Amino acid sequence: MKRSLPLAMLLVLSLAPTARAANEADYKAAYAAAEAASKKAAEMRNQWTTTVSTLAAARKAGDGGDFDRAVAAAKEAEALAKASIVQANSEKEAWKAMEIR
């Protein structure tokens, strides 16, 4: 039993992807996904201001050549946009439960 834990850890670590620096293509793909989600949230009239500012930070980092930070910010912006979409969808019906009858 004592041997199985180190062996399992070794297996997990050997299967883990190696860390690598993001490049411009990674940034462009992440930014496009974030921008698409942000546009969808805007169409639903539920775009969060934090999404817009995080997307702007991603663009600024990408324009400056810091692709690691740009990809991280773009992924965060995409997550924020998707969360705002989930919120909009859930509130379409949730308000009915609070209506005074």
Side-chain angles (χ1 to χ4, degrees):
M1 187 70 155
K2 290 182 181 181
R3 283 187 165 182
S4 62
L5 182 61
L7 290 175
M9 293 297 293
L10 182 62
L11 179 63
V12 168
L13 291 175
S14 68
L15 296 176
T18 58
R20 65 173 182 83
N23 59 27
E24 189 173 4
D26 296 334
Y27 158 66
K28 286 183 178 182
Y31 189 85
E35 193 171 39
S38 182
K39 284 181 181 178
K40 183 175 179 183
E43 288 171 4
M44 298 177 82
R45 301 178 57 91
N46 196 47
Q47 186 178 38
W48 294 350
T49 56
T50 54
T51 304
V52 175
S53 61
T54 306
L55 204 53
R59 177 174 288 250
K60 183 177 179 181
D63 289 345
D66 188 357
F67 297 122
D68 288 331
R69 191 166 32 153
V71 168
K75 287 183 179 182
E76 182 181 352
E78 181 182 12
L80 289 168
K82 287 181 177 181
S84 67
I85 292 167
V86 168
Q87 180 189 35
N89 288 330
S90 69
E91 288 181 0
K92 281 182 184 177
E93 297 297 320
W95 68 271
K96 293 176 185 177
M98 297 178 67
E99 183 179 296
I100 298 173
R101 297 175 193 238

Coordinates of all heavy atoms in Angstrom, one line a residue:
M1 N 0.8 -1.2 0.0 CA 0.0 0.0 0.0 C 0.9 1.3 0.0 O 0.5 2.2 -0.6 CB -0.9 0.0 1.2 CG -1.9 1.1 1.2 SD -3.1 0.8 -0.1 CE -4.5 1.7 0.6
K2 N 2.0 1.2 0.7 CA 2.8 2.4 0.8 C 3.5 2.7 -0.5 O 3.8 3.8 -0.8 CB 3.9 2.2 1.9 CG 3.3 2.3 3.3 CD 4.4 2.1 4.3 CE 3.8 2.1 5.7 NZ 4.8 2.0 6.7
R3 N 3.7 1.7 -1.3 CA 4.4 1.8 -2.6 C 3.4 2.4 -3.7 O 3.8 3.0 -4.6 CB 5.0 0.5 -3.1 CG 6.2 0.2 -2.5 CD 6.8 -1.0 -3.1 NE 8.2 -1.2 -2.7 CZ 9.0 -2.1 -3.2 NH1 8.5 -3.0 -4.0 NH2 10.2 -2.2 -2.8
S4 N 2.1 2.1 -3.5 CA 1.2 2.5 -4.5 C 1.0 4.0 -4.6 O 0.8 4.5 -5.7 CB -0.2 1.8 -4.3 OG -0.7 2.2 -3.1
L5 N 1.1 4.7 -3.5 CA 0.9 6.1 -3.5 C 2.0 6.8 -4.3 O 1.7 7.6 -5.2 CB 0.8 6.7 -2.1 CG 0.6 8.2 -2.1 CD1 -0.7 8.6 -2.7 CD2 0.6 8.7 -0.6
P6 N 3.3 6.5 -4.1 CA 4.3 7.2 -4.9 C 4.3 6.8 -6.4 O 4.5 7.6 -7.3 CB 5.7 6.7 -4.3 CG 5.3 6.3 -2.9 CD 3.9 5.8 -2.9
L7 N 3.9 5.5 -6.6 CA 3.7 5.1 -8.0 C 2.6 5.8 -8.7 O 2.7 6.3 -9.9 CB 3.5 3.6 -8.1 CG 4.8 2.8 -7.8 CD1 4.4 1.3 -7.7 CD2 5.9 3.0 -8.7
A8 N 1.5 6.0 -8.0 CA 0.4 6.7 -8.5 C 0.8 8.2 -8.8 O 0.4 8.8 -9.8 CB -0.8 6.7 -7.6
M9 N 1.5 8.8 -7.9 CA 1.9 10.2 -8.1 C 2.8 10.3 -9.3 O 2.7 11.3 -10.0 CB 2.6 10.7 -6.8 CG 1.7 10.9 -5.6 SD 0.4 12.1 -5.9 CE 1.3 13.6 -5.9
L10 N 3.7 9.4 -9.4 CA 4.6 9.4 -10.6 C 3.9 9.3 -11.9 O 4.2 10.0 -12.8 CB 5.7 8.2 -10.4 CG 6.7 8.2 -11.5 CD1 7.6 9.4 -11.5 CD2 7.6 6.9 -11.3
L11 N 2.9 8.4 -11.9 CA 2.1 8.2 -13.1 C 1.3 9.5 -13.4 O 1.3 9.9 -14.6 CB 1.1 7.1 -12.9 CG 0.1 6.8 -14.0 CD1 0.9 6.4 -15.3 CD2 -0.9 5.7 -13.7
V12 N 0.7 10.1 -12.4 CA 0.0 11.4 -12.6 C 0.9 12.5 -13.2 O 0.6 13.2 -14.1 CB -0.7 11.8 -11.3 CG1 -1.2 13.3 -11.4 CG2 -1.8 10.9 -11.0
L13 N 2.1 12.6 -12.6 CA 3.0 13.6 -13.0 C 3.5 13.4 -14.4 O 3.8 14.3 -15.1 CB 4.2 13.7 -12.0 CG 3.8 14.3 -10.6 CD1 5.0 14.3 -9.7 CD2 3.3 15.7 -10.8
S14 N 3.7 12.1 -14.8 CA 4.2 11.8 -16.1 C 3.2 12.1 -17.2 O 3.5 12.4 -18.3 CB 4.7 10.4 -16.2 OG 3.6 9.5 -16.1
L15 N 1.9 12.0 -16.8 CA 0.8 12.3 -17.8 C 0.4 13.7 -17.8 O -0.3 14.1 -18.8 CB -0.4 11.4 -17.4 CG -0.2 9.9 -17.5 CD1 -1.5 9.2 -17.0 CD2 0.1 9.5 -18.9
A16 N 0.9 14.5 -16.9 CA 0.5 16.0 -16.9 C 1.2 16.7 -18.1 O 2.3 16.4 -18.4 CB 1.0 16.6 -15.6
P17 N 0.5 17.6 -18.7 CA 1.1 18.3 -19.8 C 2.2 19.2 -19.3 O 2.2 19.7 -18.2 CB -0.1 19.1 -20.4 CG -1.0 19.2 -19.3 CD -0.9 18.0 -18.4
T18 N 3.2 19.3 -20.1 CA 4.3 20.2 -19.8 C 3.9 21.6 -20.0 O 3.2 22.0 -20.9 CB 5.6 19.9 -20.6 OG1 5.2 20.0 -22.0 CG2 6.1 18.5 -20.4
A19 N 4.4 22.5 -19.1 CA 4.1 23.9 -19.2 C 4.9 24.5 -20.3 O 6.1 24.2 -20.5 CB 4.4 24.6 -17.9
R20 N 4.3 25.3 -21.1 CA 5.0 26.0 -22.2 C 4.4 27.4 -22.3 O 3.3 27.7 -21.8 CB 4.8 25.3 -23.5 CG 3.3 25.3 -24.0 CD 3.3 24.7 -25.4 NE 1.9 24.7 -26.0 CZ 1.4 25.8 -26.6 NH1 2.1 26.9 -26.7 NH2 0.2 25.7 -27.0
A21 N 5.2 28.3 -22.9 CA 4.8 29.7 -23.0 C 3.8 29.8 -24.1 O 3.8 29.1 -25.1 CB 6.1 30.5 -23.4
A22 N 2.8 30.7 -23.9 CA 1.8 30.9 -24.9 C 2.4 31.7 -26.0 O 3.3 32.5 -25.9 CB 0.6 31.7 -24.3
N23 N 1.9 31.5 -27.2 CA 2.3 32.2 -28.4 C 1.2 33.1 -28.9 O 0.1 33.1 -28.4 CB 2.9 31.3 -29.4 CG 1.9 30.3 -29.9 OD1 0.7 30.5 -29.9 ND2 2.4 29.1 -30.3
E24 N 1.4 33.7 -30.0 CA 0.4 34.6 -30.6 C -0.8 33.9 -31.0 O -1.9 34.4 -30.9 CB 1.0 35.4 -31.7 CG 0.1 36.5 -32.2 CD 0.8 37.4 -33.3 OE1 1.9 37.2 -33.7 OE2 0.1 38.4 -33.7
A25 N -0.6 32.7 -31.6 CA -1.8 31.9 -32.0 C -2.7 31.5 -30.8 O -3.9 31.5 -31.0 CB -1.3 30.7 -32.8
D26 N -2.0 31.1 -29.7 CA -2.8 30.8 -28.5 C -3.6 32.0 -28.1 O -4.8 31.9 -27.7 CB -1.9 30.4 -27.4 CG -1.1 29.1 -27.7 OD1 -1.6 28.3 -28.5 OD2 0.0 28.9 -27.1
Y27 N -3.0 33.2 -28.1 CA -3.6 34.4 -27.7 C -4.8 34.7 -28.6 O -5.9 35.0 -28.1 CB -2.6 35.6 -27.7 CG -3.3 36.9 -27.8 CD1 -4.1 37.4 -26.8 CD2 -3.1 37.7 -29.0 CE1 -4.7 38.7 -26.9 CE2 -3.7 38.9 -29.1 CZ -4.5 39.4 -28.1 OH -5.1 40.7 -28.2
K28 N -4.6 34.6 -29.9 CA -5.7 35.0 -30.8 C -6.9 34.0 -30.7 O -8.0 34.5 -30.8 CB -5.1 34.9 -32.3 CG -4.3 36.1 -32.6 CD -3.8 36.1 -34.0 CE -3.0 37.4 -34.3 NZ -2.5 37.5 -35.7
A29 N -6.6 32.7 -30.5 CA -7.7 31.8 -30.3 C -8.5 32.1 -29.0 O -9.7 32.1 -29.0 CB -7.1 30.4 -30.3
A30 N -7.7 32.3 -27.9 CA -8.4 32.6 -26.6 C -9.2 33.9 -26.7 O -10.3 34.0 -26.2 CB -7.3 32.7 -25.5
Y31 N -8.6 34.9 -27.4 CA -9.3 36.2 -27.5 C -10.5 36.1 -28.3 O -11.6 36.7 -28.0 CB -8.3 37.3 -28.1 CG -8.9 38.6 -28.0 CD1 -8.7 39.4 -26.8 CD2 -9.6 39.2 -29.0 CE1 -9.3 40.7 -26.7 CE2 -10.1 40.5 -29.0 CZ -10.0 41.2 -27.8 OH -10.5 42.5 -27.7
A32 N -10.5 35.3 -29.4 CA -11.6 35.2 -30.2 C -12.8 34.5 -29.5 O -13.9 34.9 -29.6 CB -11.3 34.4 -31.5
A33 N -12.4 33.5 -28.7 CA -13.5 32.8 -27.9 C -14.1 33.7 -26.9 O -15.3 33.7 -26.7 CB -12.8 31.5 -27.2
A34 N -13.2 34.5 -26.2 CA -13.7 35.4 -25.2 C -14.6 36.5 -25.8 O -15.6 36.9 -25.3 CB -12.5 36.1 -24.5
E35 N -14.2 37.0 -27.0 CA -14.9 38.0 -27.7 C -16.3 37.5 -28.1 O -17.3 38.2 -28.0 CB -14.1 38.6 -28.9 CG -14.6 39.8 -29.4 CD -13.7 40.4 -30.5 OE1 -13.1 39.7 -31.3 OE2 -13.6 41.7 -30.5
A36 N -16.3 36.3 -28.6 CA -17.6 35.7 -29.1 C -18.6 35.6 -27.9 O -19.7 35.9 -28.0 CB -17.3 34.4 -29.7
A37 N -18.1 35.1 -26.8 CA -18.9 34.9 -25.6 C -19.4 36.3 -25.1 O -20.5 36.5 -24.7 CB -18.1 34.2 -24.5
S38 N -18.5 37.3 -25.1 CA -18.8 38.6 -24.7 C -19.9 39.2 -25.6 O -20.9 39.9 -25.1 CB -17.6 39.5 -24.7 OG -17.9 40.8 -24.3
K39 N -19.8 39.0 -26.9 CA -20.8 39.5 -27.8 C -22.2 38.8 -27.6 O -23.2 39.5 -27.6 CB -20.4 39.3 -29.3 CG -19.4 40.2 -29.7 CD -19.0 40.0 -31.2 CE -17.9 41.0 -31.6 NZ -17.4 40.8 -32.9
K40 N -22.2 37.5 -27.2 CA -23.4 36.8 -27.0 C -24.1 37.4 -25.7 O -25.3 37.6 -25.6 CB -23.2 35.3 -26.8 CG -24.4 34.6 -26.6 CD -24.2 33.1 -26.5 CE -25.5 32.3 -26.3 NZ -25.3 30.9 -26.1
A41 N -23.2 37.7 -24.7 CA -23.8 38.3 -23.4 C -24.3 39.7 -23.7 O -25.4 40.1 -23.2 CB -22.7 38.4 -22.4
A42 N -23.7 40.4 -24.6 CA -24.2 41.8 -25.0 C -25.5 41.7 -25.7 O -26.4 42.5 -25.5 CB -23.1 42.5 -25.8
E43 N -25.6 40.7 -26.6 CA -26.9 40.5 -27.3 C -28.0 40.2 -26.3 O -29.2 40.5 -26.6 CB -26.8 39.4 -28.3 CG -25.9 39.7 -29.5 CD -25.6 38.5 -30.4 OE1 -26.1 37.4 -30.1 OE2 -24.8 38.7 -31.3
M44 N -27.7 39.5 -25.2 CA -28.7 39.2 -24.2 C -28.9 40.3 -23.2 O -29.7 40.2 -22.3 CB -28.3 37.9 -23.4 CG -28.1 36.7 -24.3 SD -27.5 35.3 -23.3 CE -29.0 34.7 -22.6
R45 N -28.2 41.4 -23.5 CA -28.3 42.6 -22.6 C -27.9 42.4 -21.2 O -28.5 42.9 -20.3 CB -29.7 43.3 -22.7 CG -30.1 43.6 -24.2 CD -31.4 44.2 -24.3 NE -31.6 45.4 -23.5 CZ -31.4 46.7 -23.8 NH1 -31.0 46.9 -25.0 NH2 -31.6 47.6 -23.0
N46 N -26.9 41.6 -21.0 CA -26.4 41.2 -19.7 C -24.9 41.1 -19.7 O -24.3 40.2 -19.1 CB -27.1 39.9 -19.2 CG -26.9 39.7 -17.7 OD1 -27.2 40.6 -17.0 ND2 -26.5 38.5 -17.3
Q47 N -24.2 42.0 -20.3 CA -22.8 42.0 -20.4 C -22.2 42.7 -19.1 O -22.6 43.8 -18.8 CB -22.3 42.7 -21.6 CG -20.8 42.6 -21.8 CD -20.4 43.3 -23.1 OE1 -20.9 44.3 -23.5 NE2 -19.4 42.7 -23.8
W48 N -21.4 42.0 -18.4 CA -20.8 42.5 -17.2 C -19.7 43.5 -17.6 O -18.9 43.3 -18.5 CB -20.2 41.4 -16.3 CG -21.3 40.5 -15.8 CD1 -22.6 40.7 -15.8 CD2 -21.0 39.3 -15.1 NE1 -23.3 39.6 -15.2 CE2 -22.3 38.7 -14.7 CE3 -19.9 38.6 -14.7 CZ2 -22.4 37.6 -14.0 CZ3 -20.0 37.4 -14.0 CH2 -21.3 36.9 -13.7
T49 N -19.5 44.6 -16.8 CA -18.5 45.5 -17.0 C -17.1 44.9 -16.8 O -16.1 45.3 -17.4 CB -18.6 46.8 -16.1 OG1 -18.7 46.4 -14.8 CG2 -19.9 47.5 -16.5
T50 N -17.0 44.0 -15.9 CA -15.7 43.3 -15.6 C -15.2 42.5 -16.8 O -14.0 42.4 -17.1 CB -15.8 42.4 -14.4 OG1 -16.9 41.5 -14.6 CG2 -16.0 43.2 -13.1
T51 N -16.2 42.0 -17.6 CA -15.8 41.3 -18.8 C -15.2 42.2 -19.8 O -14.1 41.9 -20.4 CB -17.1 40.6 -19.5 OG1 -17.7 39.8 -18.5 CG2 -16.7 39.8 -20.7
V52 N -15.7 43.4 -20.0 CA -15.2 44.3 -20.9 C -13.8 44.8 -20.5 O -12.9 44.8 -21.3 CB -16.1 45.6 -21.0 CG1 -15.5 46.6 -21.9 CG2 -17.5 45.1 -21.5
S53 N -13.6 45.1 -19.2 CA -12.3 45.5 -18.8 C -11.2 44.4 -18.8 O -10.1 44.7 -19.2 CB -12.3 46.1 -17.4 OG -12.8 45.2 -16.4
T54 N -11.6 43.2 -18.6 CA -10.7 42.1 -18.6 C -10.3 41.8 -20.1 O -9.2 41.4 -20.4 CB -11.3 40.8 -18.0 OG1 -11.7 41.1 -16.6 CG2 -10.3 39.7 -17.9
L55 N -11.3 41.9 -21.0 CA -11.0 41.7 -22.4 C -10.1 42.8 -22.9 O -9.2 42.5 -23.7 CB -12.3 41.8 -23.2 CG -12.4 41.1 -24.5 CD1 -12.0 39.6 -24.5 CD2 -13.8 41.1 -25.1
A56 N -10.2 44.0 -22.4 CA -9.3 45.1 -22.8 C -7.9 44.9 -22.3 O -6.9 45.1 -23.0 CB -9.9 46.4 -22.3
A57 N -7.8 44.3 -21.1 CA -6.5 44.0 -20.5 C -5.8 42.9 -21.3 O -4.6 42.9 -21.5 CB -6.7 43.5 -19.0
A58 N -6.6 41.9 -21.8 CA -6.1 40.8 -22.7 C -5.5 41.4 -23.9 O -4.4 41.1 -24.4 CB -7.1 39.8 -23.0
R59 N -6.3 42.3 -24.5 CA -5.8 43.0 -25.8 C -4.5 43.8 -25.5 O -3.6 43.7 -26.3 CB -6.9 43.9 -26.4 CG -6.4 44.6 -27.6 CD -7.6 45.4 -28.2 NE -8.5 44.4 -28.8 CZ -8.7 44.3 -30.1 NH1 -8.0 45.0 -31.0 NH2 -9.5 43.4 -30.6
K60 N -4.5 44.5 -24.4 CA -3.3 45.3 -24.1 C -2.1 44.4 -23.9 O -1.0 44.7 -24.5 CB -3.6 46.2 -22.9 CG -2.5 47.1 -22.5 CD -2.8 47.9 -21.3 CE -1.6 48.9 -21.0 NZ -1.9 49.7 -19.8
A61 N -2.3 43.3 -23.2 CA -1.1 42.4 -23.0 C -0.7 41.8 -24.3 O 0.5 41.6 -24.6 CB -1.5 41.4 -22.0
G62 N -1.7 41.4 -25.1 CA -1.4 40.8 -26.4 C -0.7 41.8 -27.4 O 0.3 41.4 -28.0
D63 N -1.1 43.0 -27.4 CA -0.5 44.0 -28.2 C 1.0 44.3 -27.7 O 1.8 44.6 -28.5 CB -1.3 45.3 -28.2 CG -2.6 45.2 -29.0 OD1 -2.7 44.2 -29.7 OD2 -3.4 46.1 -28.8
G64 N 1.2 44.1 -26.4 CA 2.5 44.3 -25.8 C 3.4 43.1 -26.0 O 4.6 43.1 -25.6
G65 N 2.9 42.0 -26.5 CA 3.7 40.8 -26.7 C 3.7 39.9 -25.5 O 4.4 38.8 -25.5
D66 N 3.0 40.2 -24.4 CA 3.0 39.3 -23.2 C 1.8 38.3 -23.4 O 0.8 38.5 -22.9 CB 2.8 40.1 -22.0 CG 2.9 39.3 -20.7 OD1 3.1 38.1 -20.8 OD2 2.9 39.9 -19.6
F67 N 2.1 37.3 -24.2 CA 1.0 36.3 -24.6 C 0.6 35.4 -23.4 O -0.6 35.0 -23.4 CB 1.5 35.5 -25.8 CG 1.7 36.3 -27.0 CD1 3.0 36.3 -27.6 CD2 0.8 37.1 -27.5 CE1 3.2 37.1 -28.7 CE2 1.0 37.9 -28.6 CZ 2.2 37.9 -29.2
D68 N 1.4 35.2 -22.5 CA 1.0 34.4 -21.3 C -0.1 35.1 -20.5 O -1.1 34.6 -20.2 CB 2.2 34.1 -20.4 CG 3.1 33.0 -20.9 OD1 2.7 32.2 -21.7 OD2 4.3 33.1 -20.6
R69 N 0.2 36.4 -20.3 CA -0.8 37.2 -19.5 C -2.0 37.5 -20.4 O -3.2 37.5 -19.9 CB -0.2 38.5 -19.1 CG -1.1 39.3 -18.1 CD -0.4 40.4 -17.4 NE 0.7 41.0 -18.2 CZ 1.0 42.3 -18.0 NH1 0.5 43.0 -17.1 NH2 2.0 42.8 -18.8
A70 N -1.8 37.6 -21.7 CA -3.0 37.9 -22.6 C -3.9 36.7 -22.7 O -5.1 36.9 -22.6 CB -2.4 38.2 -24.0
V71 N -3.3 35.5 -22.7 CA -4.2 34.3 -22.8 C -4.9 34.1 -21.5 O -6.1 33.8 -21.4 CB -3.3 33.0 -23.1 CG1 -4.1 31.8 -22.9 CG2 -2.8 33.1 -24.5
A72 N -4.2 34.3 -20.3 CA -4.9 34.2 -19.0 C -6.0 35.2 -18.9 O -7.1 34.8 -18.4 CB -3.9 34.4 -17.9
A73 N -5.8 36.4 -19.3 CA -6.9 37.4 -19.2 C -8.0 37.1 -20.2 O -9.2 37.3 -19.8 CB -6.3 38.8 -19.5
A74 N -7.7 36.6 -21.4 CA -8.8 36.3 -22.3 C -9.6 35.1 -21.8 O -10.8 35.1 -21.9 CB -8.1 35.9 -23.7
K75 N -9.0 34.1 -21.2 CA -9.7 33.0 -20.6 C -10.6 33.5 -19.4 O -11.7 33.0 -19.3 CB -8.8 31.9 -20.2 CG -8.2 31.1 -21.4 CD -7.3 30.0 -20.9 CE -6.7 29.3 -22.2 NZ -5.9 28.1 -21.8
E76 N -10.1 34.4 -18.7 CA -10.9 34.9 -17.6 C -12.1 35.7 -18.1 O -13.2 35.6 -17.6 CB -10.0 35.8 -16.7 CG -10.8 36.4 -15.5 CD -9.9 37.3 -14.6 OE1 -8.7 37.4 -14.9 OE2 -10.5 38.0 -13.8
A77 N -11.8 36.5 -19.2 CA -12.9 37.3 -19.8 C -14.0 36.3 -20.4 O -15.2 36.6 -20.2 CB -12.4 38.2 -20.9
E78 N -13.5 35.2 -21.0 CA -14.5 34.3 -21.5 C -15.3 33.6 -20.4 O -16.5 33.5 -20.5 CB -13.8 33.2 -22.3 CG -14.7 32.1 -22.9 CD -14.0 31.0 -23.6 OE1 -12.8 30.9 -23.5 OE2 -14.7 30.3 -24.3
A79 N -14.7 33.3 -19.3 CA -15.4 32.7 -18.1 C -16.4 33.7 -17.5 O -17.5 33.4 -17.2 CB -14.4 32.3 -17.0
L80 N -16.0 35.0 -17.5 CA -16.9 36.0 -17.0 C -18.1 36.2 -17.9 O -19.3 36.3 -17.5 CB -16.2 37.4 -16.8 CG -15.2 37.5 -15.7 CD1 -14.4 38.7 -15.9 CD2 -15.9 37.5 -14.4
A81 N -17.9 36.2 -19.2 CA -19.0 36.3 -20.2 C -19.9 35.1 -20.1 O -21.1 35.3 -20.1 CB -18.4 36.4 -21.6
K82 N -19.4 33.9 -20.0 CA -20.2 32.7 -19.9 C -21.0 32.8 -18.6 O -22.2 32.4 -18.6 CB -19.4 31.5 -20.0 CG -18.9 31.2 -21.4 CD -18.0 29.9 -21.4 CE -17.6 29.6 -22.9 NZ -16.9 28.4 -23.0
A83 N -20.4 33.3 -17.5 CA -21.2 33.4 -16.3 C -22.3 34.4 -16.4 O -23.4 34.2 -15.8 CB -20.2 33.8 -15.1
S84 N -22.1 35.5 -17.1 CA -23.2 36.4 -17.3 C -24.3 35.9 -18.2 O -25.5 36.2 -18.0 CB -22.6 37.7 -17.9 OG -22.2 37.6 -19.2
I85 N -23.9 35.0 -19.1 CA -25.0 34.3 -19.9 C -25.8 33.4 -19.1 O -27.0 33.3 -19.2 CB -24.3 33.6 -21.1 CG1 -23.7 34.6 -22.1 CG2 -25.3 32.7 -21.8 CD1 -22.7 34.0 -23.1
V86 N -25.1 32.6 -18.2 CA -25.8 31.7 -17.3 C -26.8 32.5 -16.4 O -27.9 32.1 -16.2 CB -24.8 30.9 -16.5 CG1 -25.5 30.2 -15.3 CG2 -24.1 29.9 -17.3
Q87 N -26.3 33.6 -15.9 CA -27.1 34.5 -15.0 C -28.3 35.0 -15.8 O -29.4 34.9 -15.3 CB -26.3 35.7 -14.5 CG -27.1 36.6 -13.6 CD -26.4 37.9 -13.3 OE1 -25.6 38.4 -14.1 NE2 -26.6 38.4 -12.1
A88 N -28.1 35.4 -17.0 CA -29.3 35.9 -17.8 C -30.3 34.8 -18.0 O -31.5 35.1 -17.9 CB -28.8 36.5 -19.1
N89 N -29.8 33.7 -18.3 CA -30.8 32.5 -18.6 C -31.5 32.1 -17.3 O -32.7 31.8 -17.4 CB -30.0 31.3 -19.2 CG -29.6 31.6 -20.6 OD1 -30.3 32.3 -21.4 ND2 -28.5 31.0 -21.0
S90 N -30.8 32.1 -16.2 CA -31.5 31.7 -15.0 C -32.5 32.8 -14.5 O -33.5 32.4 -13.9 CB -30.5 31.4 -13.9 OG -29.8 32.6 -13.4
E91 N -32.2 34.0 -14.8 CA -33.1 35.1 -14.3 C -34.3 35.2 -15.2 O -35.3 35.9 -14.8 CB -32.3 36.4 -14.2 CG -31.4 36.4 -13.0 CD -30.7 37.7 -12.8 OE1 -30.9 38.6 -13.6 OE2 -29.9 37.8 -11.9
K92 N -34.3 34.6 -16.3 CA -35.5 34.6 -17.2 C -36.7 34.0 -16.5 O -37.8 34.5 -16.7 CB -35.2 33.9 -18.5 CG -34.4 34.6 -19.5 CD -34.3 33.8 -20.8 CE -33.4 34.5 -21.8 NZ -33.2 33.7 -23.0
E93 N -36.5 33.0 -15.7 CA -37.6 32.4 -15.0 C -37.6 32.6 -13.5 O -38.6 32.5 -12.9 CB -37.5 30.8 -15.3 CG -37.6 30.5 -16.7 CD -39.0 30.8 -17.3 OE1 -40.0 30.7 -16.6 OE2 -39.0 31.3 -18.5
A94 N -36.4 33.0 -12.9 CA -36.3 33.1 -11.5 C -37.2 34.3 -11.0 O -37.7 34.2 -9.8 CB -34.9 33.4 -11.1
W95 N -37.4 35.3 -11.7 CA -38.2 36.4 -11.2 C -39.6 36.1 -10.9 O -40.2 36.7 -10.1 CB -38.1 37.6 -12.2 CG -38.9 37.3 -13.5 CD1 -38.4 36.7 -14.6 CD2 -40.3 37.6 -13.8 NE1 -39.4 36.6 -15.6 CE2 -40.5 37.1 -15.1 CE3 -41.3 38.1 -13.0 CZ2 -41.8 37.2 -15.6 CZ3 -42.6 38.2 -13.6 CH2 -42.8 37.7 -14.9
K96 N -40.1 35.0 -11.6 CA -41.5 34.6 -11.4 C -41.7 34.1 -10.0 O -42.8 34.2 -9.4 CB -41.9 33.5 -12.4 CG -41.9 34.0 -13.8 CD -42.2 32.9 -14.8 CE -42.2 33.4 -16.2 NZ -42.4 32.4 -17.2
A97 N -40.7 33.5 -9.4 CA -40.8 33.0 -8.0 C -40.9 34.1 -7.0 O -41.4 33.9 -5.9 CB -39.6 32.1 -7.7
M98 N -40.4 35.3 -7.3 CA -40.4 36.4 -6.4 C -41.6 37.3 -6.6 O -41.8 38.2 -5.9 CB -39.1 37.2 -6.6 CG -37.9 36.4 -6.2 SD -36.4 37.3 -6.4 CE -36.5 38.5 -5.2
E99 N -42.4 37.0 -7.6 CA -43.6 37.9 -7.9 C -44.6 37.7 -6.8 O -45.0 36.6 -6.4 CB -44.2 37.5 -9.3 CG -45.3 38.3 -9.7 CD -45.8 37.9 -11.0 OE1 -45.1 38.0 -12.0 OE2 -47.0 37.4 -11.1
I100 N -45.2 38.8 -6.4 CA -46.2 38.8 -5.4 C -47.5 38.4 -6.0 O -47.9 39.0 -7.0 CB -46.4 40.2 -4.7 CG1 -45.1 40.5 -4.0 CG2 -47.6 40.1 -3.7 CD1 -45.0 41.9 -3.4
R101 N -48.2 37.5 -5.5 CA -49.5 37.0 -6.1 C -50.7 37.4 -5.2 O -50.7 37.5 -4.1 CB -49.5 35.5 -6.3 CG -48.4 35.1 -7.3 CD -48.3 33.6 -7.4 NE -47.0 33.3 -8.1 CZ -47.0 32.7 -9.2 NH1 -48.0 32.2 -9.7 NH2 -45.8 32.4 -9.7

